[in-house]
Amino acid sequence: MHSDKAVILRILSEATDWVEASRLADALGVTTRTIRNRVKKINDSAQTPLIESSHRGYRLAKSQDAGSLPTSAEGRETSDERADLILRRLISTNEPLSIYDFTDELFVSDSTIEADLRHVRDSIRLFDLSLARHRDKVSLEGSERNKRRLISQMVASESPSGFVAFAGSGIVSEGYDFPRLTRLISQSLEKQGLRADDYGLNNITIHLIVIADRMHHGKSMPEDEALARTRETPGYLAARLICSAAGPLSGIDIPDAEIAYLALVISSNSTSYDYSFAEEADLGQYIGDDDIELTRTLMNDLEQAYHLEPFDSDFLARISIHIHGMKQRISNGIYAKNPLTARIKSTYPLIYDMGCFLANDLLEQANIRLNEDEISFLAFHLGAYLEKGSPLHEHATCTFLYMDYHDLQASELARIKAAFADTLIIERSLPLSVCNPANLACDIVISPVAIAAPRARRVVVVNPILTDDDMEAIRKAVDSVLAQRLGTQAYSMISRFMDASLFRRNFYAADEASMIKALAQECTEAGLCSPSYVQEVLDREKLSPTSFGNGVAIPHSMSASTARSFLSVVVNDKPMAWGTQKVSLIMLMGLSEADRKGFRVLFDSLLEVLSDPAKVTQLTRSNTYDEFAGRLNDMIMGA
């Protein structure tokens, strides 16, 4: 086992006196003789000795300051960070690398590097790449095309501003003028009658940079019959224009095989059709009837699952074009990188969940598997559409009272109707002099004077000529009424779903799959769901982890398949890993067919509460079921 320099230096930096060799040996699980050899190696690798030794043990050399000591690979202390560095090293060379070089560079043990290599293997499997191992040597195996797919994904995950920051990173080693290349690509596409959105342009630019960089290092794309067929596409002519201009900028002569490869990227990230004027009836000549029919099936399934109003023809045209392009990308082994994936998932989890439903349906209907970035693109389209559509709730009802004076109320009433057309229905408009406040049964009464209206939820007092403050007061009243109505609906469902027998405090499992299986088994034994339910939840988890930030996970099935709806709740003091996050609150959700219609209200209301870190903290401090249920009720009702 090789030296764990970081551990030795940390122990010595924290000590105020000499540290015995036996203490260091115990910390590393080695002998004192091994410690002596490792200290010698640490000192030999430094310009001046870092560690002093004597019969009393070891200590930092007096010339050393703890803050200036070398740390674990410049802060690469997590498995993800070490795996990233290893992969960068492997992909930037054709020669096998020694794992012992990695242990020395990263200051960790052989076993740690072996675990990191397993992590690397998992991360490259999607790109049809593998690690070859011969004794202590390891190398990256696979085609140049697949290596470029991996590099493009890694580059896209980096800082979006310019590419000078990649210098020396092991992915892209030159500085490139990203905005200039993007403009060049956009102009070349336009000359060939092609267009790409911002994400498509970004993807093409990244691939062009990867082409240039790989060629700089003598790693060119080989001739390929499949790539040769791209010479018959409009994308090939655009690629030739781009490469003829970009080659001199990069100081290289881009050969035909590289142009054909770029043409493939262009065809997967652009279209000859201007979808801003898309109409469903015209799509067949551009994307084919099969993709149109697939899209209709997917959208109809989504409407049924989430009780959505039918999507309009304009949206169906746009999403059909997106799905067509997405299928092209994936069939060519190219996945678009969405820089907003994490934000969409955390900010709009319900919309993202709809994207996961579509991804699962697409897998079943067409055997196409999507990653999180492609799912987030679908969610992006859905969110933009649904934001303009009907809200989850009904309108608030209102009675407008006024002082009858030369029809002054007419213009004020028109102003209110225009401002709150989507959220407020004015059922009656009455002069104040003839109304009986006791009979005003509605959500909101708008009145020029304070009155007692016991059958109304809110009374908003306004000026005869409405001010901006008056309009804001009306808006707040409308928001409050609708939020309370939604909260009442949501908690009515939650109170039926939750049960003290499904509440667990400090209930732990080895991983998220084990937790899901344990909770689902309890629910199956209670007769709430069938044995197949657990696999449905695990299948949803494979699409994208159901941890939505703030230490919360809500695992659930993509279908309403349980005998009775339920929420199985776990509240833990110690967080557990869930995907890439840590969670302390887990809510396994089961939905029956009878409750399917209320799913959006329930899920959205839950997430409204759980998106607030302070509220999550309060919930995780609950020691009993009654305490948890009471706090959740107050939060949903806005108390």
Side-chain angles (χ1 to χ4, degrees):
M1 184 176 291
H2 276 242
S3 165
D4 197 332
K5 181 178 180 180
V7 174
I8 293 175
L9 292 178
R10 176 180 58 79
I11 293 174
L12 295 181
S13 66
E14 293 173 353
T16 57
D17 202 350
W18 294 89
V19 176
E20 293 181 355
S22 58
R23 179 184 167 191
L24 294 174
D26 289 342
L28 295 178
V30 297
T31 66
T32 55
R33 180 180 178 181
T34 300
I35 290 296
R36 183 168 65 252
N37 292 334
R38 293 185 180 182
V39 168
K40 181 178 184 302
K41 187 171 183 179
I42 291 172
N43 284 336
D44 289 346
S45 66
Q47 291 182 346
T48 59
L50 300 179
I51 301 172
E52 295 178 351
S53 60
S54 76
H55 67 282
R56 299 174 62 187
Y58 300 95
R59 70 180 181 187
L60 289 182
K62 293 182 179 180
S63 60
Q64 299 299 324
D65 181 280
S68 65
L69 289 172
T71 58
S72 175
E74 299 176 354
R76 295 184 181 91
E77 297 175 351
T78 71
S79 177
D80 286 344
E81 291 167 334
R82 291 192 303 272
D84 180 70
L85 179 138
I86 291 170
L87 186 52
R88 288 168 186 258
R89 295 284 190 272
L90 291 172
I91 205 166
S92 62
T93 180
N94 291 327
E95 300 298 324
L97 300 179
S98 169
I99 65 168
Y100 299 139
D101 290 338
F102 289 130
T103 62
D104 289 341
E105 179 178 3
L106 295 167
F107 310 124
V108 294
S109 65
D110 298 358
S111 60
T112 298
I113 291 297
E114 295 290 356
D116 294 336
L117 288 174
R118 290 193 292 271
H119 191 165
V120 171
R121 286 189 181 93
D122 291 339
S123 69
I124 64 178
R125 192 172 292 121
L126 177 64
F127 302 91
D128 293 325
L129 298 171
S130 61
L131 293 184
R133 181 73 177 270
H134 181 66
R135 296 182 180 175
D136 69 308
K137 298 289 186 177
V138 63
S139 60
L140 185 65
E141 297 294 320
S143 68
E144 175 65 17
R145 179 176 171 183
N146 287 338
K147 288 179 181 178
R148 292 193 185 186
R149 288 172 53 210
L150 171 61
I151 294 169
S152 299
Q153 183 81 355
M154 294 173 71
V155 171
S157 301
E158 298 279 1
S159 169
S161 58
F163 281 80
V164 177
F166 298 135
S169 69
I171 306 179
V172 174
S173 57
E174 303 289 340
Y176 295 91
D177 190 339
F178 192 81
R180 184 178 181 183
L181 291 175
T182 302
R183 288 194 298 271
L184 169 64
I185 291 169
S186 180
Q187 293 164 2
S188 299
L189 293 179
E190 187 176 346
K191 289 178 181 178
Q192 297 303 320
L194 299 173
R195 57 179 285 119
D197 59 25
D198 288 343
Y199 297 106
L201 280 174
N202 187 69
N203 208 29
I204 296 169
T205 307
I206 288 173
H207 278 83
L208 178 61
I209 289 171
V210 171
I211 288 172
D213 192 74
R214 295 293 280 182
M215 289 191 63
H216 270 299
H217 292 84
K219 300 177 178 65
S220 297
M221 183 69 69
E223 290 289 342
D224 186 291
E225 184 178 346
L227 287 178
R229 290 196 292 270
T230 65
R231 294 183 177 90
E232 302 172 4
T233 66
Y236 181 76
L237 296 177
R240 284 186 59 183
L241 283 175
I242 293 167
C243 290
S244 65
L249 291 178
S250 304
I252 56 175
D253 182 20
I254 302 178
D256 197 58
E258 299 287 359
I259 297 174
Y261 171 69
L262 183 62
L264 178 64
V265 175
I266 290 172
S267 67
S268 300
N269 288 277
S270 66
T271 177
S272 59
Y273 185 54
D274 186 353
Y275 55 80
S276 63
F277 300 101
E279 293 184 11
E280 192 179 9
D282 300 331
L283 287 181
Q285 59 183 308
Y286 297 101
I287 66 174
D289 293 333
D290 289 347
D291 285 346
I292 296 173
E293 189 58 36
L294 173 62
T295 301
R296 287 174 180 161
T297 299
L298 295 172
M299 293 302 110
N300 182 68
D301 290 347
L302 185 67
E303 291 166 3
Q304 298 299 317
Y306 288 87
H307 286 268
L308 304 174
E309 293 295 322
F311 291 100
D312 62 32
S313 59
D314 179 65
F315 176 78
L316 289 174
R318 292 171 183 270
I319 197 70
S320 295
I321 294 169
H322 175 79
I323 289 174
H324 172 72
M326 181 181 67
K327 286 179 61 181
Q328 280 189 308
R329 283 198 303 274
I330 294 172
S331 66
N332 291 323
I334 297 172
Y335 287 82
K337 179 67 181 177
N338 190 340
L340 301 177
T341 292
R343 189 182 306 174
I344 290 172
K345 185 176 179 181
S346 62
T347 308
Y348 306 102
L350 178 58
I351 300 298
Y352 186 82
D353 200 69
M354 293 181 187
C356 288
F357 177 91
L358 288 179
N360 185 65
D361 207 11
L362 195 59
L363 180 62
E364 294 180 356
Q365 299 285 348
N367 197 30
I368 296 173
R369 187 177 299 277
L370 305 185
N371 62 12
E372 286 192 327
D373 289 311
E374 295 289 358
I375 291 173
S376 65
F377 276 120
L378 289 173
F380 192 81
H381 281 273
L382 290 170
Y385 174 82
L386 293 173
E387 189 174 297
K388 297 184 296 183
S390 299
L392 292 177
H393 48 69
E394 299 175 355
H395 294 68
T397 59
C398 174
T399 298
F400 179 73
L401 303 181
Y402 60 89
M403 293 181 178
D404 193 1
Y405 182 75
H406 297 292
D407 291 331
L408 176 64
Q409 77 282 355
S411 61
E412 304 307 296
L413 183 59
R415 183 180 176 188
I416 293 173
K417 287 181 176 180
F420 300 98
D422 293 333
T423 54
L424 188 65
I425 295 176
I426 299 180
E427 296 180 322
R428 289 183 294 174
S429 175
L430 300 171
L432 188 63
S433 58
V434 301
C435 84
N436 181 356
N439 294 332
L440 299 179
C442 58
D443 291 321
I444 299 170
V445 173
I446 300 175
S447 171
V449 298
I451 60 170
R455 300 178 64 188
R457 291 175 180 263
R458 297 283 191 279
V459 175
V460 180
V461 179
V462 299
N463 293 293
I465 298 178
L466 295 171
T467 66
D468 290 343
D469 288 343
D470 292 333
M471 298 297 286
E472 178 64 14
I474 296 171
R475 184 194 64 76
K476 289 181 178 179
V478 171
D479 289 348
S480 175
V481 165
L482 295 178
Q484 188 175 42
R485 182 182 299 169
L486 277 178
T488 301
Q489 295 175 23
Y491 195 74
S492 175
M493 296 182 71
I494 290 174
S495 61
R496 288 192 294 107
F497 292 7
M498 287 176 57
D499 187 272
S501 64
L502 298 179
F503 181 82
R504 295 285 182 273
R505 191 75 173 83
N506 288 329
F507 180 77
Y508 295 98
D511 51 37
E512 55 264 58
S514 300
M515 178 65 78
I516 289 170
K517 290 175 182 177
L519 297 180
Q521 179 64 31
E522 290 181 349
C523 295
T524 301
E525 292 173 355
L528 300 175
C529 58
S530 68
S532 63
Y533 169 75
V534 62
Q535 189 58 51
E536 294 176 8
V537 179
L538 292 173
D539 288 343
R540 164 61 183 87
E541 207 69 34
K542 288 178 184 176
L543 289 172
S544 180
T546 52
S547 48
F548 295 109
N550 294 330
V552 179
I554 310 181
H556 58 279
S557 166
M558 297 302 300
S559 61
S561 59
T562 62
R564 182 169 71 82
S565 299
F566 60 83
L567 278 172
S568 179
V569 179
V570 173
V571 177
N572 288 336
D573 291 329
K574 183 180 177 181
M576 67 173 288
W578 201 287
T580 60
Q581 301 181 28
K582 297 280 190 179
V583 302
S584 297
L585 175 58
I586 302 156
M587 305 179 78
L588 176 68
M589 180 186 295
L591 194 70
S592 70
E593 186 63 39
D595 290 314
R596 179 196 287 270
K597 190 173 183 178
F599 173 74
R600 292 181 67 197
V601 171
L602 170 65
F603 200 54
D604 211 40
S605 297
L606 267 179
L607 292 169
E608 181 71 23
V609 169
L610 301 177
S611 64
D612 186 337
K615 292 179 179 177
V616 172
T617 299
Q618 291 181 46
L619 288 172
T620 55
R621 289 174 179 167
S622 303
N623 292 312
T624 65
Y625 168 78
D626 289 337
E627 192 175 355
F628 180 87
R631 286 175 173 171
L632 184 59
N633 179 33
D634 290 343
M635 292 172 184
I636 289 177
M637 298 302 295

